[in-house]
Amino acid sequence: MNKLDRVTNVYNKSDIIPFDDTSKFVLMSDCHRGDGSRSDNFLSNRNIYYSALSQYYYHNFTYIELGDGDELWENRRLSDIIQIHKEVFGLLSKFHDDQRLYLMYGNHDMEKRNYKYVNRNIQRYYAQREQEDPNIFNNVKVHEGLVLRHSESDDKILLIHGHQVDTMSSSFWRLSKFLVRYVWKPLENFGVNDPTSAAKNYKKKISIAKKLTKWVAREKHILIAGHNHRPSFPDVGQVPYFNDGSCIHPNAITAIEISNGTICLVKWSEKVKNDGSLYIARDILGGPNNLQDYFAWLHKH
């Protein structure tokens, strides 16, 4: 099976989420939540992430995490990650309780594709300090892909992580995990970047984006992915491949919002007021553009 056919296979077996022009979704990926050590890339942006997600919660958005939410290549136990970032998981649990949470796995948290792992480590986890075993995500399902289907037009948007077109992150993910855990993680503590990473290798970022763009042109569906940490927001008239970026940009996170029949790319970051106080700001990087304009363009090509 070639790389584009892998994406098609995910599309064909994905659960469908109906939506309309009143629906509100926020899509993020590549949080890489870690254990609080020096190699925890999420730690520096945790407050930005929590603030942004809190605002999305109170404005009734549905949160969809497009994979690599947790860094399981570098860390052995998900319970350690949950314990360190307890407030974040508490907020995610509120989304789940309101039936406004969808989780997907990527290459760095591939273990979540196993239902037994999910049941043992995500639905319940053991908090050692409190000597308790809380149930935080009851009956949660972790997906490889999801399809948003517009209730009126029947147009579809495929949501995936994007590692499916990256051989080292899909077919050889176990080897990559070994190298990251035992070679690149120790070197990362000394400032050495992993050259095999799609997030840190520019040529690999471009290659992945080209493959996913080719799939959109072939299959005539909008596609939104993560994986290469490179935000992408095409203009109307261009092939509609979108990328939400990541939550570990320097001092910022990026996300894609779908609301009121539009789509836009946003950035959340810390800013300073004139009085010297800090605040979390939302800036629009792309859009908002009407989704129906992208669907109409696909129908013509």
Side-chain angles (χ1 to χ4, degrees), residues 15 20 46-47 57 87 89 101 114 149 152 155 161 174 183 210 233 244 253 273 289 292:
D15 289 346
D20 57 32
R46 178 171 61 181
N47 289 341
Y57 178 78
E87 293 81 7
F89 280 92
L101 175 73
N114 185 314
R149 180 179 62 80
E152 294 183 9
D155 290 302
H161 180 62
R174 288 184 175 85
V183 178
K210 285 182 176 179
F233 191 88
D244 64 5
I253 68 174
K273 295 181 180 179
N289 294 338
Q292 289 302 326

Side-chain angles (χ1 to χ4, degrees), residues 168-203:
M168 287 301 295
S169 296
S170 53
S171 300
F172 301 110
W173 72 273
R174 288 184 175 85
L175 173 60
S176 295
K177 175 181 175 179
F178 175 85
L179 293 173
V180 165
R181 179 173 292 179
Y182 297 107
V183 178
W184 297 116
K185 180 182 178 180
L187 289 176
E188 186 178 24
N189 290 326
F190 294 98
V192 179
N193 288 331
D194 175 3
T196 67
S197 168
K200 299 171 183 176
N201 184 312
Y202 181 75
K203 289 184 178 179

Side-chain angles (χ1 to χ4, degrees), residues 64-129:
I64 304 179
E65 192 166 88
L66 303 183
D68 281 6
D70 301 302
E71 179 51 69
L72 297 179
W73 279 9
E74 295 184 359
N75 304 289
R76 294 179 180 277
R77 298 196 307 176
L78 182 57
S79 59
D80 292 340
I81 298 172
I82 295 175
Q83 186 65 35
I84 288 294
H85 302 295
K86 183 184 296 185
E87 293 81 7
V88 167
F89 280 92
L91 181 54
L92 292 173
S93 181
K94 291 173 68 175
F95 275 95
H96 177 67
D97 290 344
D98 291 352
Q99 299 183 346
R100 292 192 281 133
L101 175 73
Y102 292 91
L103 299 176
M104 295 167 54
Y105 62 81
N107 50 306
H108 278 254
D109 51 6
M110 190 81 78
E111 288 86 348
K112 295 177 185 176
R113 67 181 180 176
N114 185 314
Y115 174 77
K116 291 182 179 180
Y117 181 91
V118 171
N119 184 56
R120 183 173 63 252
N121 294 282
I122 300 177
Q123 293 188 15
R124 304 186 69 84
Y125 83 100
Y126 181 67
Q128 188 172 8
R129 291 180 183 177

Side-chain angles (χ1 to χ4, degrees), residues 1-14 30 65-68 73 104-110 113 142-146 158-173 198 204 207-209 211-212 215 223-228 241 243:
M1 184 182 297
N2 66 40
K3 295 175 182 179
L4 298 190
D5 288 340
R6 289 179 194 165
V7 178
T8 301
N9 185 54
V10 176
Y11 171 82
N12 289 333
K13 67 182 183 181
S14 292
D30 299 276
E65 192 166 88
L66 303 183
D68 281 6
W73 279 9
M104 295 167 54
Y105 62 81
N107 50 306
H108 278 254
D109 51 6
M110 190 81 78
R113 67 181 180 176
V142 183
H143 306 261
E144 181 175 8
L146 290 164
L158 174 62
L159 312 178
I160 60 172
H161 180 62
H163 66 283
Q164 291 84 357
V165 298
D166 180 353
T167 301
M168 287 301 295
S169 296
S170 53
S171 300
F172 301 110
W173 72 273
K204 199 167 187 179
S207 174
I208 289 167
K211 292 183 179 73
L212 295 175
W215 184 89
L223 185 148
I224 306 175
H227 184 54
N228 68 1
Y241 153 70
N243 194 295

